[in-house]
């Protein structure tokens, strides 16, 4: 049995020349790379002054939609909650009372609608599952918060402004997305 040292071929190292020993060539190559990057377009942006353009399929913050008369479109069917792979959506249904026809579109509505943004993976399945186009993912970032409770968005946080009483807020919240 041969010893390990006999089987391993030794690497031969030739002595460095004087030019190689002062590393002048390596410094020149490094400086050349640095000068190339100085004149390239920068990858960063100055955020408050410049806004980044997103892809047309960007999925941001969830929005509960209203119709043209300002009534909520959600009928609390629960398809969005069932379609959610992260189980981030919770809802409770209620019956519309007489006199509330101007608030809710259908006889049944979502009395409680919550989305846990810490669980949400922004897949868009809730948007696809909704037969009434009551929920969609807007072009807005999810804002930051310091508490876990701040990331559980209730119905009051998700509802789009009323187009009858606040048309400017409605247009701003709607963004470029189709509704």
């Amino acid at each position: 049995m041969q010893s390990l040292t006999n089987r391993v071929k030794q690497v031969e190292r030739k002595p460095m020349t004087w030019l190689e020993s002062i590393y002048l060539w390596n410094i020149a190559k490094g400086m050349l790379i640095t000068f190339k990057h100085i004149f390239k377009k920068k990858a960063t942006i100055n955020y408050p002054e410049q806004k980044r353009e997103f892809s047309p399929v960007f999925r941001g913050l969830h929005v509960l939609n209203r119709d043209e008369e300002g009534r909520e479109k959600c009928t609390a069917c629960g398809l969005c909650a069932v379609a959610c792979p992260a189980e981030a959506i919770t809802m409770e249904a209620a019956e519309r009372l007489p006199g509330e026809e101007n608030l809710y579109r259908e006889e049944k509505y979502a009395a409680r609608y919550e989305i846990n943004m810490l669980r949400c993976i922004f897949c868009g399945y809730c948007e696809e599952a909704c037969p009434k186009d009551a929920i969609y993912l807007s072009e807005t970032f999810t804002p930051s918060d310091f508490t876990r409770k701040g990331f559980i968005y209730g119905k009051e946080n998700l509802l789009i402004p009323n187009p009858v009483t606040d048309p400017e807020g409605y247009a701003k919240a709607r963004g470029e997305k189709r509704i």
Side-chain angles (χ1 to χ4, degrees):
M1 179 180 240
Q2 287 184 333
S3 68
L4 185 61
T5 56
N6 291 343
R7 284 190 282 162
V8 177
K9 185 177 179 183
Q10 296 295 326
V11 177
E12 294 182 25
R13 294 183 187 231
K14 61 181 180 172
M16 288 195 290
T17 65
W18 179 81
L19 190 60
E20 291 173 340
S21 67
I22 62 171
Y23 298 105
L24 193 60
W25 175 245
N26 292 331
I27 291 171
K29 283 194 320 187
M31 293 303 287
L32 182 66
I33 291 171
T34 303
F35 284 125
K36 278 185 190 175
H37 285 285
I38 285 175
F39 300 110
K40 283 189 176 179
K41 185 178 181 232
K42 306 227 179 334
T44 58
I45 61 168
N46 298 327
Y47 170 65
E49 295 85 23
Q50 297 174 344
K51 300 290 183 186
R52 181 177 165 217
E53 290 188 27
F54 293 105
S55 167
V57 294
F58 173 76
R59 297 186 197 116
L61 192 63
H62 297 71
V63 174
L64 283 177
N65 204 4
R66 296 180 187 261
D67 64 2
E68 299 78 27
E69 298 173 18
R71 301 176 299 186
E72 295 178 19
K73 283 187 171 183
C74 181
T75 60
C77 63
L79 289 176
C80 57
V82 172
C84 182
E87 297 179 1
I89 301 174
T90 307
M91 72 169 52
E92 289 178 8
E95 293 284 329
R96 181 178 69 188
L97 299 174
E100 291 183 335
E101 290 82 17
N102 60 339
L103 297 175
Y104 309 109
R105 193 175 188 174
E106 305 287 334
E107 290 80 23
K108 195 170 121 180
Y109 70 95
R112 186 179 130 225
Y113 194 97
E114 291 180 349
I115 298 179
N116 187 342
M117 289 298 174
L118 295 174
R119 282 185 165 185
C120 180
I121 57 174
F122 298 94
C123 61
Y125 288 169
C126 56
E127 184 178 18
E128 292 174 11
C130 185
K132 302 286 185 175
D133 289 329
I135 188 167
Y136 70 96
L137 279 73
S138 67
E139 296 174 341
T140 308
F141 277 108
T142 305
S144 61
D145 205 325
F146 293 107
T147 61
R148 292 178 82 70
K149 286 186 179 181
F151 286 106
I152 299 174
Y153 290 3
K155 188 174 174 181
E156 61 278 353
N157 303 105
L158 296 170
L159 259 174
I160 196 166
N162 195 328
V164 176
T165 59
D166 187 12
E168 295 87 22
Y170 176 76
K172 182 181 176 186
R174 197 172 112 189
E176 298 294 322
K177 284 264 189 180
R178 57 142 186 89
I179 297 180

